[in-house]
Amino acid sequence: MSNVLQLLTRSDYLLRETVLGLKRGGWMNWAAVSTVTVLLFLFGMSVQASWQIDRILAQFGNQLEVSVYLDTGIQAADLQPTVAALPEVIAVTPVSKEEAWSNLLQEMGSSEIRGATEQLNGNPLVDELKVKVKGAAEVPTLAGKLKALPGVDAVQYVDEAVQRISQLNQGLSWLSLGMITVLSGTAIAVINTTIRLIVMARRREIEVMQLVGATTTWIYLPFILQGLMLGVVGALVAWGLITGVQEFLASLLQQQSEFIQFLTSASPLSWQQQVTLPLALLGLGCSVGLLGSLFAVRRFAVK
Amino acid sequence: MSVTTDRSPTSSFGQPPSSGSSLPPSTQATEVAIDLEQVTKVYANGHQALLGVNLRVTKGEFLFVTGPSGSGKSTLLKLLYGEEKPTQGQVIVNGNAIVPLKGNQLSKLRRQIGIVFQDYKLIPRRTVLENVAFVLWAQGFTRKEIHRRLMPTLKMVGLQDKADCFPHELSGGEQQRVSIARAVVGTPQILLADEPTGNLDPDNSQQVIKILQRLNAIGVTVIVTTHDEHLVRQSHHPVVQIREGHLFRVRG
């Protein structure tokens, strides 16, 4: 505890040495910072993409409807309470065959309902229930249950596309995890080299420090702080880039069709997500910086 | 080697921050600063630097260690500040056995020892003032304390006007005086000088020795290695000589 206090009261030393060290690093600093930036940029973008796809999926899930076509002669209103009682169901809208018929004819551009009906010897459609389901995962089970109900002729739902997107999302997550692991290794290696060069450049000073009784922590803490700084700067730049790209995409989207706008901007990022991303970037940046400099310093300090 | 002195081991700069607990209870009338018992140092390449050396230096003493180059003078000093470990025997500095010390314990002990090198070991890209202050920063002194100590120390070695010069702008003698200032600014109780006059002309050598004597006069235990017989003859301090790994008493 007293050590921590001592460090705080003498933080001007640490700050000065850290800045001095970074000056000695020269162009290597840029190599280190840009590696961290690339890593964190890709990390941030893949996290955002994953969130975006999740949101789109969630929209599909909420609006996912199962259409239940009833046997001829069965009234939609009769079956509605039974279906509404199922646990997976949020809402049930009955569509009578008359309603459906007139809608269909309207869509086809025919205004003479009576004429068309007579031509076909009556309304060819059946009553239908539009069932809203709680989540995408429950759709297949519910469909099975509905199919088993007496008076139900056919059950239709569209879950294949949603499942495909979900699989794609998972695949992308694995891919980006792999990429981030490899890039983290690269960033740690570059920071490690940078800090080692700085240590080399200051070997005379370190030798004198050791001879006059500076403790190992005192000598090497500035180097570890340098690594941390590189990570933090990388995180800040990456965060700036991600924000920029986001805004650019948003401005592009405004010129796009309504459907795409609907898909991408229906529900904005939650505030948790808005805070989580910069914190995650900072956390990953700091860890990479710390690990890189710790590895660099360890081989000098352990003697 | 038991020259009794009545000088107290305090210095004019005040106490160093870590000196309080380091003084062992002494069983003798005169406190022992340095004690070597049957110390042998054989390097990994087989070179026998020291063989069964015994040496006791009391606090406040001024001791010359002479001998030809490569006779083991530097090794003797390195054993004292823990740069080298003895192959056999005990090295005790200010009551602490050096051999088992590791890491931070060794760092703390080194704060009680100032070291002056033949090649000065100044940091090239820092000014005289920064070179001296560097020691204090390294030892964790506060900014205020550092400012309090700097000018008196530079004045003592006569370099108050060169505070903002870089080492390469100074003569050899001036650089060596910076190195002395750096060694004593942390107010160590013991000052080790390894061939401090080795690269200097007679005038500068005299000046350096005078500064060391002045420090000794305020209570610092001083050990100086040299192969300059002339310098040794000019003074009246005790002298030991190292020849082929053995220590011989010459004077005192």
Side-chain angles (χ1 to χ4, degrees):
Chain A
M1 192 57 209
S2 66
N3 267 339
V4 175
L5 281 176
Q6 195 181 7
L7 283 184
L8 284 178
T9 54
R10 285 141 204 202
S11 54
D12 57 344
Y13 159 82
L14 292 175
L15 200 72
R16 251 174 349 122
E17 292 298 307
T18 305
V19 172
L20 195 70
L22 286 174
K23 277 188 196 159
R24 300 279 167 86
W27 289 103
M28 275 307 285
N29 290 326
W30 296 115
V33 166
S34 51
T35 318
V36 175
T37 303
V38 169
L39 159 71
L40 293 179
F41 178 73
L42 288 178
F43 168 72
M45 288 312 276
S46 67
V47 166
Q48 287 233 323
S50 163
W51 283 344
Q52 193 76 42
I53 294 172
D54 275 346
R55 285 208 311 270
I56 296 171
L57 287 176
Q59 273 176 26
F60 270 120
N62 285 336
Q63 293 174 0
L64 204 66
E65 270 185 353
V66 176
S67 300
V68 182
Y69 298 101
L70 306 182
D71 287 333
T72 320
I74 304 287
Q75 298 282 312
D78 294 345
L79 218 58
Q80 188 186 352
T82 326
V83 174
L86 291 171
E88 297 92 341
V89 173
I90 295 174
V92 183
T93 319
V95 185
S96 68
K97 59 181 181 184
E98 289 79 16
E99 220 177 305
W101 184 233
S102 67
N103 283 346
L104 180 64
L105 289 178
Q106 257 177 23
E107 277 169 34
M108 286 166 70
S110 168
S111 54
E112 283 181 39
I113 294 177
R114 210 164 279 176
T117 315
E118 272 166 20
Q119 270 180 359
L120 288 167
N121 294 324
N123 183 345
L125 299 181
V126 293
D127 275 15
E128 181 193 345
L129 288 174
K130 287 203 179 296
V131 180
K132 263 196 179 174
V133 190
K134 271 184 189 158
E138 279 137 358
V139 170
T141 20
L142 180 70
K145 282 185 194 171
L146 291 170
K147 191 84 173 50
L149 287 176
V152 172
D153 179 37
V155 174
Q156 251 185 30
Y157 59 93
V158 274
D159 70 333
E160 214 173 324
V162 176
Q163 272 180 2
R164 281 272 164 81
I165 298 176
S166 174
Q167 282 169 355
L168 188 73
N169 192 20
Q170 243 170 20
L172 279 177
S173 299
W174 282 114
L175 187 72
S176 51
L177 187 71
M179 219 159 59
I180 284 161
T181 311
V182 171
L183 277 173
S184 297
T186 312
I188 289 171
V190 173
I191 289 179
N192 181 7
T193 310
T194 309
I195 300 295
R196 245 174 39 207
L197 284 178
I198 299 174
V199 172
M200 293 288 198
R202 306 186 64 187
R203 261 236 289 263
R204 278 178 73 97
E205 288 164 67
I206 291 172
E207 187 195 348
V208 173
M209 286 177 90
Q210 283 169 337
L211 287 176
V212 300
T215 58
T216 311
T217 317
W218 197 242
I219 295 174
Y220 289 108
L221 199 59
F223 295 103
I224 291 166
L225 289 178
Q226 280 159 31
L228 196 66
M229 285 274 278
L230 295 174
V232 168
V233 172
L236 291 178
V237 177
W239 174 234
L241 280 178
I242 290 169
T243 314
V245 168
Q246 257 178 339
E247 269 168 26
F248 175 68
L249 284 180
S251 71
L252 271 188
L253 275 174
Q254 281 178 346
Q255 299 150 20
Q256 296 299 313
S257 72
E258 276 190 17
F259 175 67
I260 293 178
Q261 280 196 36
F262 158 77
L263 278 183
T264 50
S265 61
S267 55
L269 280 175
S270 68
W271 68 268
Q272 284 109 322
Q273 288 175 327
Q274 281 182 2
V275 176
T276 306
L277 188 62
L279 284 185
L281 291 177
L282 207 61
L284 187 59
C286 288
S287 325
V288 164
L290 272 182
L291 279 177
S293 50
L294 277 177
F295 285 144
V297 157
R298 210 186 49 151
R299 66 175 62 193
F300 293 103
V302 177
K303 269 204 272 191
Chain B
M1 198 71 21
S2 53
V3 178
T4 315
T5 63
D6 55 358
R7 295 161 188 146
S8 80
T10 51
S11 77
S12 64
F13 304 124
Q15 285 296 311
S18 58
S19 65
S21 59
S22 62
L23 297 174
S26 177
T27 50
Q28 291 163 296
T30 54
E31 286 185 277
V32 177
I34 288 163
D35 200 3
L36 273 71
E37 290 167 15
Q38 287 298 317
V39 170
T40 296
K41 176 66 188 178
V42 181
Y43 283 100
N45 62 12
H47 174 63
Q48 297 180 324
L50 297 172
L51 295 168
V53 168
N54 288 301
L55 175 66
R56 175 168 290 189
V57 183
T58 49
K59 291 201 168 164
E61 193 170 333
F62 192 119
L63 176 70
F64 275 116
V65 180
T66 64
S69 304
S71 60
K73 302 190 297 285
S74 294
T75 302
L76 182 75
L77 295 191
K78 282 179 181 168
L79 289 173
L80 294 179
Y81 61 83
E83 179 83 359
E84 296 287 351
K85 302 268 173 184
T87 317
Q88 262 172 29
Q90 273 277 29
V91 180
I92 295 166
V93 176
N94 274 345
N96 298 293
I98 297 278
V99 181
L101 291 184
K102 278 207 181 81
N104 288 351
Q105 294 170 306
L106 187 59
S107 302
K108 294 275 157 61
L109 186 88
R110 281 180 178 174
R111 295 180 189 184
Q112 302 168 26
I113 305 171
I115 312 168
V116 179
F117 301 96
Q118 179 175 8
D119 58 353
Y120 325 132
K121 287 200 196 300
L122 299 177
I123 299 159
R125 278 195 269 178
R126 300 200 188 206
T127 64
V128 168
L129 201 71
E130 286 167 345
N131 262 288
V132 178
F134 183 70
V135 177
L136 300 177
W137 285 113
Q139 294 184 3
F141 281 80
T142 59
R143 182 179 284 271
K144 205 175 142 198
E145 181 65 13
I146 291 170
H147 281 288
R148 201 176 70 78
R149 285 175 179 235
L150 278 179
M151 279 335 266
T153 309
L154 284 183
K155 226 172 255 171
M156 189 201 71
V157 296
L159 287 173
Q160 64 271 37
D161 299 329
K162 305 265 182 172
D164 295 323
C165 293
F166 286 91
H168 65 86
E169 298 168 331
L170 302 177
S171 71
E174 285 168 333
Q175 288 189 44
Q176 189 56 290
R177 282 186 277 149
V178 176
S179 144
I180 294 173
R182 189 183 61 188
V184 301
V185 73
T187 57
Q189 296 155 3
I190 299 169
L191 186 66
L192 308 178
D194 192 7
E195 299 269 8
T197 60
N199 292 334
L200 303 180
D201 58 59
D203 274 358
N204 274 309
S205 297
Q206 269 306 317
Q207 217 173 349
V208 163
I209 293 297
K210 268 192 191 134
I211 292 169
L212 295 179
Q213 284 170 339
R214 220 177 300 151
L215 284 161
N216 179 242
I218 58 173
V220 181
T221 310
V222 180
I223 299 180
V224 182
T225 70
T226 182
H227 58 260
D228 186 348
E229 292 294 336
H230 182 66
L231 204 68
V232 174
R233 255 180 266 123
Q234 280 182 329
S235 74
H236 56 274
H237 299 297
V239 181
V240 294
Q241 189 178 43
I242 299 179
R243 266 197 325 263
E244 286 159 5
H246 296 282
L247 193 92
F248 300 97
R249 180 132 188 77
V250 177
R251 185 173 77 195

